[in-house]
Amino acid sequence: MIDFTRLKQRLYSDGPKGLFLFIVLLGILPAIEDFSLFAVFGFSITKFHVHEEFRLLYSIPLYLIPIALLLVMHGKSYSRILGLLPAFFAGYVHLIGTSENVSLEQYEALIGILHFACYKIAFLYFIKEGKLRSLPFVLILIVIWILLDIQHLILFLTYTILVRFLYLALKQNISIFKETGMKRTLFLMAKSFLYWSPLLIFIIPGAIISSKANKAAIDQIYDHTFMESTDQSRKYKRDQFEKDLEYSLEAEMICMKEAVENGTGKMYTIVKNKTEKLDEEVGDVYKGVFKPKLTDIAPFFKDEDCGFWGKLNFPCQAKNSAKETVRDTYSEQRRLMLSGLTEMVRNSANSTEEEVKQSTEQINAAINQEIDGAIGYMKFTVQSSFDMIIFINLLLDIAFGFLILKSFMYVFSRVAFSSDDENYVTLLESNDIESKGKLIKHGNEFHLDPKTVNEDYYLSRSFEPSGRAPKFSIPQWKSAIIGRILTRNYAMNKVILKSRPEEVYFKAMGSHEFVEWDIREGEEVVFHFKNFVGMSEGITISALVSLRLTSLLFGRIIFTTAKGPGKLILLTKGEPITADHVTANASVATSRIMAWQKNTRFNVESELNLVDVFMSGIYLKKKENDLILIDADVKGPSKNGIVRFIKNFILPV
């Protein structure tokens, strides 16, 4: 049930800030559209160009400036001016563009620099002040989808996530760097780079191959279409490509209209003679203007050879599928235009000689109109192909950069904390002392008795305990969404124990055992949903994003936590080790640690050399009196250092 009073209070308190952040995001739409926002050093803008079809994106911020300024004055939040820089920039461009005495092209270089600075600063303002799960961010994703396309949406989402993670990494680790000191930090970074450097064997060739592949794909457009380059040194930049496209389309249009002029006499003869082969003759004339196949105009749209892997070469198959769609669309449009032209010629053939001359002029006008439409379609097709290449390249660059960053941070944290009793890794950012709950082993049987248990429970739908039929429920739908979806625990079964007298009875397979963590109020437990069985209604689950060096060694950056009071039920693969066990204080592989208190402190033990950093994992040893749940040592695939964490770098949940 919705708490309208609480919702009203939240809108009153957070509404002005949320509205302002949405205005900021609307202001950076032009930089999203031309891809300049996603480049690290600006997109190499030396010239500036407003895309005609997207002038609306520059106009929107201008109309919102009065509201935005009122929100700046609200609470005297003058720093919000940084978020309005794109709006002021749009006004500046508008004034120059409408001035008769000032040429926009004359100041393109200066405007390009301002463009880079304004949009980057405004975007970083949102990164600092906004949140990815906020309403303004969700709304801007919808706007991008509607006004632009899914490519821009995916790029903006992934890029924002990456930059947000960078910001959090700096924010969460700055205190550690201060405590370590500049000299010690530089020493650790140099040492970490030494151990991390073997990855350059893959990174450098990968970057070179990616760059060459991107340029080769763009070269294919120039080499296998009507495109001509007017500046070879800049043809890989979007602004230059658009100018080359306009230039090439004008040349193509001239050729088409010359073909129309050459065919005017033939068309007049066809209409006047009323030949039986009228359709064929019209088709021959039409062929001189519009080629039968798109590949006759642009061989770029021929299918690529997918090589040895054939249908298993998914990127190649995806490109060929897209090209086939473009070819089919061109053929269908050409067929419809030819059918309409043939019908027009047939009707004109029954006219008088004077009417024939007039109808021939009308036919030529119709063909010229079709040329304008075809030119627009060709522009869209070629531009879309170029944008797709940029999209794939930028997306790969973002993923590649994220992988490099995470791998280096992992090595750095391993070097900084290994075999050091003074330092320890923890998820807690302060030294607050949490309440201590209790861990209870239940063996391979677990039951909930309505006579002794007062709370209702939410159970994983992966289990089918005896005693109650499933009852569908989605508890705390906004919490830990990614982890729950990936482990199929977003939806759960709710058990209302007092509704019936029967017990709910679990029976585990083989050596698996149930463990119940009685979480006290103020206590927070870190766990993984892959081990989740159920929880009482009082438990609050949430996702914790931690990029602190003291927590990176767990191999993840997104953790799931359960906050009490309540009970959390987990399933182990073998006989579990709890805090009161004699071996609980021994060092253990991170893969065996199932759950621990958020404030649990671990010392790191690992071998530091070029081989073991990559081929061996780390061990963690908890401090005295801290609570922990350790699983049995179950045989499985071999676990290597960074290799084992690659999946977590790409999908860090």
Side-chain angles (χ1 to χ4, degrees):
M1 188 173 181
I2 300 175
D3 188 344
F4 288 102
T5 302
R6 185 177 177 184
L7 181 62
K8 182 179 178 181
Q9 291 176 346
R10 184 174 178 181
L11 288 174
Y12 180 79
S13 60
D14 299 339
K17 181 180 179 181
L19 177 59
F20 183 80
L21 290 175
F22 183 61
I23 292 175
V24 171
L25 291 172
L26 286 175
I28 66 175
L29 280 175
I32 298 173
E33 185 275 324
D34 67 8
F35 297 112
S36 61
L37 181 69
F38 311 122
V40 177
F41 299 108
F43 209 60
S44 302
I45 293 179
T46 57
K47 295 184 178 181
F48 177 77
H49 177 62
V50 179
H51 303 145
E52 294 293 332
E53 63 271 35
F54 289 108
R55 283 188 177 274
L56 174 65
L57 301 182
Y58 283 92
S59 302
I60 292 175
L62 294 180
Y63 297 117
L64 295 176
I65 283 181
I67 300 175
L69 289 176
L70 288 175
L71 293 172
V72 169
M73 300 303 296
H74 178 78
K76 298 182 179 180
S77 303
Y78 301 120
S79 62
R80 290 181 175 178
I81 290 292
L82 296 175
L84 291 183
L85 289 178
F88 298 143
F89 173 78
Y92 173 69
V93 172
H94 178 76
L95 289 174
I96 291 182
T98 55
S99 174
E100 295 181 358
N101 300 324
V102 181
S103 171
L104 187 63
E105 295 181 357
Q106 183 179 356
Y107 294 95
E108 278 182 328
L110 173 62
I111 295 176
I113 296 172
L114 292 175
H115 177 277
F116 166 64
C118 291
Y119 287 101
K120 288 289 186 181
I121 292 172
F123 177 69
L124 293 176
Y125 174 84
F126 170 77
I127 291 296
K128 180 179 181 297
E129 299 293 334
K131 295 181 179 179
L132 300 185
R133 294 175 58 188
S134 62
L135 181 60
F137 189 71
V138 173
L139 290 176
I140 201 63
L141 294 180
I142 296 173
V143 170
I144 292 172
W145 191 6
I146 294 173
L147 294 183
L148 302 177
D149 52 41
I150 192 67
Q151 295 177 16
H152 288 84
L153 173 62
I154 293 173
L155 272 179
F156 178 68
L157 180 61
T158 53
Y159 183 74
T160 305
I161 291 173
L162 173 62
V163 178
R164 176 69 177 175
F165 281 175
L166 286 171
Y167 168 72
L168 290 177
L170 180 62
K171 180 181 178 182
Q172 294 175 2
N173 289 299
I174 193 166
S175 60
I176 297 176
F177 291 134
K178 286 181 178 179
E179 292 177 5
T180 305
M182 178 64 72
K183 187 176 180 180
R184 177 67 176 168
T185 299
L186 292 175
F187 170 76
L188 290 174
M189 290 188 71
K191 189 175 180 180
S192 301
F193 181 81
L194 175 65
Y195 291 127
W196 177 83
S197 59
L199 284 181
L200 293 174
I201 298 173
F202 305 98
I203 291 172
I204 294 176
I208 294 173
I209 292 172
S210 176
S211 176
K212 287 185 176 294
N214 178 55
K215 291 183 177 180
I218 296 174
D219 285 337
Q220 276 195 335
I221 298 180
Y222 278 93
D223 296 340
H224 297 96
T225 65
F226 51 85
M227 287 283 295
E228 295 183 16
S229 175
T230 58
D231 188 345
Q232 286 288 336
S233 64
R234 300 195 71 253
K235 71 176 184 179
Y236 304 111
K237 309 300 180 183
R238 192 174 194 241
D239 61 331
Q240 183 60 43
F241 181 88
E242 289 176 347
K243 292 180 179 180
D244 291 344
L245 181 57
E246 293 286 350
Y247 171 81
S248 302
L249 284 174
E250 287 180 7
E252 190 70 15
M253 182 181 290
I254 292 172
C255 293
M256 286 183 172
K257 292 192 174 182
E258 286 179 354
V260 172
E261 292 178 4
N262 295 334
T264 299
K266 296 179 181 179
M267 195 64 71
Y268 176 78
T269 303
I270 293 171
V271 175
K272 185 176 180 181
N273 293 342
K274 305 177 185 179
T275 62
E276 295 180 358
K277 298 181 179 180
L278 184 142
D279 291 6
E280 294 181 15
E281 294 180 6
V282 171
D284 290 338
V285 175
Y286 195 74
K287 189 188 300 182
V289 182
F290 298 104
K291 305 296 182 184
K293 297 180 180 179
L294 181 61
T295 52
D296 295 332
I297 303 174
F300 170 77
F301 291 100
K302 291 181 179 179
D303 282 346
E304 297 181 15
D305 181 8
C306 294
F308 173 77
W309 294 103
K311 291 186 177 181
L312 295 178
N313 189 344
F314 297 113
C316 178
Q317 292 294 335
K319 289 180 183 178
N320 287 344
S321 178
K323 290 180 179 182
E324 183 180 5
T325 301
V326 172
R327 293 196 304 266
D328 291 344
T329 303
Y330 174 83
S331 298
E332 180 63 16
Q333 287 187 338
R334 184 183 185 280
R335 184 188 66 79
L336 292 174
M337 289 189 295
L338 178 58
S339 176
L341 179 63
T342 303
E343 184 66 24
M344 186 182 297
V345 173
R346 187 178 291 110
N347 293 336
S348 300
N350 299 319
S351 306
T352 63
E353 184 172 348
E354 185 64 28
E355 291 173 336
V356 166
K357 292 181 179 179
Q358 294 178 357
S359 65
T360 303
E361 294 176 359
Q362 293 174 356
I363 291 170
N364 288 341
I367 295 177
N368 283 321
Q369 187 175 357
E370 290 177 2
I371 288 175
D372 293 336
I375 289 294
Y377 170 75
M378 290 165 65
K379 177 181 180 181
F380 172 79
T381 302
V382 176
Q383 184 68 60
S384 297
S385 300
F386 181 84
D387 288 346
M388 175 62 77
I389 293 170
I390 290 182
F391 163 72
I392 294 174
N393 186 61
L394 286 174
L395 195 62
L396 289 175
D397 285 347
I398 291 171
F400 201 47
F402 186 76
L403 181 62
I404 292 172
L405 173 69
K406 284 291 282 98
S407 62
F408 182 78
M409 289 181 68
Y410 166 75
V411 174
F412 182 85
S413 58
R414 183 165 174 167
V415 169
F417 297 98
S418 285
S419 303
D420 188 346
D421 195 56
E422 297 275 334
N423 291 322
Y424 53 84
V425 299
T426 181
L427 291 182
L428 200 64
E429 297 185 15
S430 63
N431 294 321
D432 296 342
I433 299 176
E434 291 186 353
S435 303
K436 285 190 177 181
K438 187 178 181 181
L439 283 162
I440 306 170
K441 300 180 186 179
H442 288 272
N444 67 344
E445 295 182 6
F446 179 79
H447 61 91
L448 297 170
D449 189 349
K451 296 178 183 178
T452 57
V453 179
N454 296 320
E455 285 188 283
D456 296 333
Y457 271 73
Y458 294 103
L459 306 177
S460 171
R461 291 175 68 85
S462 301
F463 294 89
E464 295 181 336
S466 305
R468 299 294 172 91
K471 180 180 176 61
F472 184 85
S473 178
I474 302 180
Q476 304 176 45
W477 64 273
K478 294 190 296 183
S479 302
I481 296 174
I482 297 177
R484 290 167 63 181
I485 289 177
L486 292 178
T487 56
R488 301 180 182 178
N489 282 298
Y490 186 67
M492 300 181 188
N493 289 328
K494 185 174 183 179
V495 176
I496 304 175
L497 288 174
K498 293 297 183 182
S499 64
R500 295 175 58 184
E502 292 87 359
E503 292 185 359
V504 178
Y505 186 87
F506 291 85
K507 177 71 174 179
M509 295 177 60
S511 61
H512 290 60
E513 295 190 20
F514 294 99
V515 178
E516 179 185 19
W517 195 316
D518 186 1
I519 306 175
R520 302 288 175 83
E521 186 171 0
E523 182 183 14
E524 198 165 359
V525 174
V526 182
F527 73 102
H528 199 296
F529 264 106
K530 68 181 180 181
N531 309 117
F532 176 78
V533 177
M535 64 183 182
S536 62
E537 198 170 29
I539 291 291
T540 301
I541 56 176
S542 61
L544 170 68
V545 178
S546 178
L547 284 158
R548 301 176 72 236
L549 293 171
T550 55
S551 57
L552 280 175
L553 293 176
F554 290 104
R556 294 180 276 148
I557 64 173
I558 301 179
F559 300 83
T560 305
T561 66
K563 193 171 184 178
K567 296 182 179 180
L568 177 69
I569 309 167
L570 303 172
L571 183 68
T572 69
K573 293 180 180 179
E575 183 180 356
I577 299 173
T578 56
D580 57 353
H581 198 279
V582 66
T583 60
N585 292 323
S587 59
V588 64
T590 55
S591 59
R592 290 179 58 194
I593 302 176
M594 290 182 56
W596 65 95
Q597 280 187 308
K598 187 178 176 182
N599 67 335
T600 299
R601 300 158 300 165
F602 297 94
N603 287 126
V604 181
E605 294 184 6
S606 69
E607 292 294 329
L608 284 182
N609 54 67
L610 288 175
V611 175
D612 284 308
V613 164
F614 290 90
M615 303 308 296
S616 300
I618 65 168
Y619 273 42
L620 298 178
K621 180 181 179 181
K622 79 175 187 68
K623 296 281 190 180
E624 291 284 346
N625 302 321
D626 288 341
L627 295 185
I628 191 173
L629 175 61
I630 302 172
D631 203 351
D633 188 8
V634 181
K635 180 176 173 56
S638 61
K639 304 174 182 67
N640 299 322
I642 289 181
V643 176
R644 178 172 170 262
F645 290 97
I646 290 295
K647 180 185 72 173
N648 299 111
F649 293 146
I650 299 173
L651 190 63
V653 295

